[in-house]
Amino acid sequence: MRKGPSDLADIPLFATDEAISSAFLGPGKTSEWRQIAALLETRGLPKIDALMGGRYVPAVRAFFDKEYGLIDRAPRLAPSGVEDLGAWNRERPKQRRVRPV
């Protein structure tokens, strides 16, 4: 069978809902996917990662594999909140030392 442009292997690891809907449901089904995804997020479908700008496709696939009984563990969800990538490089405020009296 010939691979089409909407196969899972052809989309990025963090894909937009448009790319995921095309791969999972076929072209032109983005609005349907967004409605389905909103419902499935309450059951564990990975949310859109704000930092990466898309859903982690292997976790989306793992979610459906779990839903259909192919695996027995849940995928990890997207990180909570926006990451501060520069935080590791900032100096911490100096602590004042108290001298004993």
Side-chain angles (χ1 to χ4, degrees), residues 13-17 20 47-56 78:
L13 282 177
F14 286 91
T16 62
D17 275 350
I20 291 172
K47 295 182 180 185
I48 294 173
D49 184 298
L51 180 65
M52 301 303 285
R55 296 179 197 271
Y56 185 56

Side-chain angles (χ1 to χ4, degrees), residues 7 10 30-31 38 52 69 72 82:
D7 288 340
D10 296 335
T30 303
S31 62
M52 301 303 285
D72 60 353
V82 177

Side-chain angles (χ1 to χ4, degrees), residues 82-101:
V82 177
E83 302 299 323
D84 185 4
L85 298 178
W88 68 271
N89 200 17
R90 293 188 196 118
E91 286 187 32
R92 288 189 241 170
K94 298 198 185 246
Q95 294 180 354
R96 293 179 53 191
R97 293 189 180 198
V98 178
R99 293 185 183 190
V101 190

Side-chain angles (χ1 to χ4, degrees), residues 28-82:
K29 303 276 187 172
T30 303
S31 62
E32 290 94 330
W33 168 255
R34 287 189 176 133
Q35 293 172 359
I36 292 167
L39 296 172
L40 292 179
E41 282 178 355
T42 63
R43 293 182 10 205
L45 178 72
K47 295 182 180 185
I48 294 173
D49 184 298
L51 180 65
M52 301 303 285
R55 296 179 197 271
Y56 185 56
V57 175
V60 173
R61 183 176 183 146
F63 168 80
F64 282 108
D65 286 347
K66 180 184 177 293
E67 283 288 301
Y68 288 93
L70 299 178
I71 58 174
D72 60 353
R73 59 180 187 159
R76 292 188 57 169
L77 301 178
S80 58
V82 177

